[in-house]
Amino acid sequence: MIAYTTCNGPSSMFTGLDGRFMRRDVATTAVNMTYSYPTYDILMVLGDSNTQFANDPAKNGFVAQLAEFYQRQMDVLNRGFRGYNTSSAREIIGSVLPKTSVAQDSTTTDDISPLFKFAKKLKLTTRADEITKALWPYQKQNYPGISNILQLIIILFGTNDSRVEWSEAYNPIDQYAEDLQYFITLLQDPDSEHYSPDARIMIITPPVVGDRKIQELAKSRNTEPEWYNNRTQTYAAKAIEVAQAANVAYVDLHTGMEDVVAEYRKNISSTDVLDGYDNYLIDGIHLNVNGSAILFGLIHDAIAKNWPEMIPLKS
């Protein structure tokens, strides 16, 4: 979208934001202009700061790794919102999830991409959703088209929800569970404007909390800790409970990290229960390079287990 501002010149003229004069009819055309770009199918990651920061290749961010893993297969969208819990995410979810569009049922776009041309050769239907089912897995590199269907959504919340009660970000555990189920329902309910029948759903539990680091940071700020690992663990268990009840895939990141930390302690012969967490967290709550590697590995394994057709064949 291109915006223009009015000027003090002739009434038939506008001034663009770049300072150039143009005729009013040209400006009006520009203001009303919209663009449509060919895209791949979509993998969306929805979450809090551990998702928002996961695009950073310097931190080996798990979203950056997913983008590399699925290059020329899917567009990976990072929808991470720092400081959000599930309830605050629920307030904006309508602007985040794709809306069901009749465009997916159109037969007027047959020749837009090689995907549709290939489907036409095979005498397949030209409905975008059915073509996707027929040709998935996109295990080899392909080209963007108009079949931009949400194929997988990964949801990672709980770190902020599980903060102590006096924190503004605290979200009661039952509300946390209700919100997670709400997100699932939006995608699975045929009456929902976000109905995505092809979308695979994966819930990820919050990661561990490094209590020692959190206590150190709180002391340096002359305040009380807002996070405790045992609180986050109960939210992790609740996330799994919601996923199992809804029959969607899940990744137990909390247990996965606890297992790695426990193994680390064995290797250094430590009996300190707080040892090891700093190897996987930057500040007690955010994943570092090692923590991101654990999460990506767990996501990869969950995809391979639940949807093996989604593991691309690299050419």
Side-chain angles (χ1 to χ4, degrees), residues 37-192:
Y37 295 98
T39 62
Y40 294 101
D41 280 355
I42 303 301
L43 188 164
M44 180 183 293
V45 188
L46 173 66
D48 51 32
S49 53
N50 263 316
T51 296
Q52 179 177 325
F53 300 160
N55 265 15
D56 188 349
K59 295 185 177 70
N60 200 31
F62 76 93
V63 177
Q65 292 185 69
L66 284 169
E68 192 281 330
F69 188 66
Y70 280 112
Q71 59 180 308
R72 289 191 64 185
Q73 275 97 22
M74 287 193 289
D75 283 338
V76 177
L77 304 184
N78 185 322
R79 296 296 181 262
F81 301 92
R82 180 180 183 180
Y84 277 56
N85 59 27
T86 53
S87 288
S88 50
R90 184 168 175 167
E91 294 177 7
I92 65 166
I93 196 67
S95 300
V96 174
L97 293 179
K99 289 187 173 147
T100 302
S101 171
V102 294
Q104 289 187 356
D105 292 327
S106 173
T107 57
T108 62
T109 51
D110 298 359
D111 296 320
I112 285 185
S113 75
L115 174 65
F116 284 86
K117 290 178 180 177
F118 182 49
K120 199 169 182 179
K121 258 187 204 178
L122 297 181
K123 298 182 179 178
L124 297 174
T125 173
T126 52
R127 282 173 50 102
D129 54 351
E130 294 181 9
I131 288 173
T132 300
K133 290 176 184 176
L135 296 184
W136 186 269
Y138 296 152
Q139 291 189 313
K140 295 183 178 179
Q141 293 181 339
N142 59 82
Y143 299 88
I146 60 109
S147 181
N148 53 346
I149 295 171
L150 181 63
Q151 290 286 353
L152 171 60
I153 181 167
I154 297 172
I155 302 173
L156 170 54
F157 284 104
T159 298
N160 291 315
D161 301 80
S162 64
R163 287 159 89 159
V164 294
E165 284 81 353
W166 54 262
S167 170
E168 290 183 4
Y170 164 70
N171 197 19
I173 194 166
D174 289 340
Q175 184 62 53
Y176 169 70
E178 181 183 320
D179 293 336
L180 287 178
Q181 181 56 57
Y182 177 75
F183 299 151
I184 295 169
T185 300
L186 282 180
L187 294 163
Q188 294 184 336
D189 183 358
D191 293 329
S192 166

Side-chain angles (χ1 to χ4, degrees), residues 212-227:
R212 175 184 290 153
K213 178 65 72 174
I214 292 297
Q215 291 166 8
E216 291 174 356
L217 290 173
K219 185 177 180 180
S220 69
R221 297 166 182 167
N222 197 29
T223 186
E224 294 295 320
E226 290 189 48
W227 290 272

